[in-house]
Amino acid sequence: MAELGNPTKTIEVLKKYKLQFQKRYGQNFLVDSNILEKIIEAAQITKEDLVLEIGPGIGTMTQYLAEHAGEVIAVEIDKTLIPVLQDTLSCYGNVHIINEDILKVDVKALMQGNGRQLKIVANLPYYITTPIIMGLLESRISFQSITIMVQKEVADRMQAGPGTKDYGALSLAVQYYARPEVLFFVSPHCFMPRPNVESAVIRLTRRDENPVQAENEAYLFSLIRSAFGQRRKTLVNSLFHNMGGNLTKEQVGVALEKMKLSPSIRGEALTLSQFVQLGKLLQEAENL
Ligand code: SAM
């Protein structure tokens, strides 16, 4: 039975190891067993699964994951937490703790040779949520789902559609690779220390097939990032300034005309399939 998951036990561990919460690492630990159980249920974990947990902290959610999954790989940046994890997880033989920065570790290599299906589960450090998600999606690792606690606003951005204020590079990357579903909201009271924001648990289920297939995904995502680099600029100006000097305004204008789009359109008005089409036209123009 998981011992952690309540404020008393968390305080006990902190005292035993003379730990202080590291704000710079986004340390807001979960102290509510109901929420932990809901996350495990939402992630649909079975004994067949390999779970990658990002930021295990003192091992609270890891205990729940270890009880339900076949194997857990937990990547924690804070080296002072490693002896704590070795202690709190000592009775679980299926957990591997790795002291690394998730943004630097080669996740693909970490999973290599493991025959199990991969599910990613985390109460993410909020200061780097977007780079973590973009990194996982673009790494092309074959995950089945990503179930994560994020700031509510970030969950909104992942689900947003064209023409809304939340729509951007994150929405497009998530929706290209996966089907996002916000499952439930979590109050700051469920964490220690309490964050200043509301949180949400969102599940991204990998699509068997992408809704539209880009010929060159790296080019598509560099185009999308450039389009949203300065939201208030027109798409022509954004791409001219942010695509590393590879495109002229005329080339972007011609491509928009071929797509029957206004020359003064902004990136936020384009759908995913329009970005894919634009990427194809601009790459052809660049290669002429
Ligand atoms: N999973 C624990 C829980 O739910 O109680 C802790 C979650 S806390 C929000 C985020 C965790 O991510 C912290 O343990 C923090 O040290 C770790 N972390 C922060 N940046 C990281 C990074 N770049 N790579 C790996 N872990 C990181």
Side-chain angles (χ1 to χ4, degrees), residues 25-30 53 55 57 76-77 101-102 123 127-128:
Y25 288 144
Q27 290 180 354
N28 298 97
F29 296 158
L30 268 169
E53 186 190 9
E76 173 56 61
I77 196 170
D101 177 344
I102 192 66
N123 169 17
Y127 74 108
I128 43 166

Side-chain angles (χ1 to χ4, degrees), residues 24-31 36 53-62 75-78 81 100-103 122-128 132 191:
R24 70 191 160 120
Y25 288 144
Q27 290 180 354
N28 298 97
F29 296 158
L30 268 169
V31 289
L36 286 152
E53 186 190 9
I54 299 157
I58 59 168
T60 307
M61 190 151 76
T62 328
V75 179
E76 173 56 61
I77 196 170
D78 184 352
L81 294 177
E100 288 274 6
D101 177 344
I102 192 66
L103 296 179
N123 169 17
L124 285 181
Y126 292 174
Y127 74 108
I128 43 166
I132 291 178
F191 301 85

Side-chain angles (χ1 to χ4, degrees), residues 167-185:
Y167 186 61
L170 182 65
S171 332
L172 284 153
V174 164
Q175 293 166 31
Y176 181 78
Y177 291 111
R179 201 163 34 80
E181 287 164 275
V182 174
L183 301 171
F184 54 92
F185 300 109

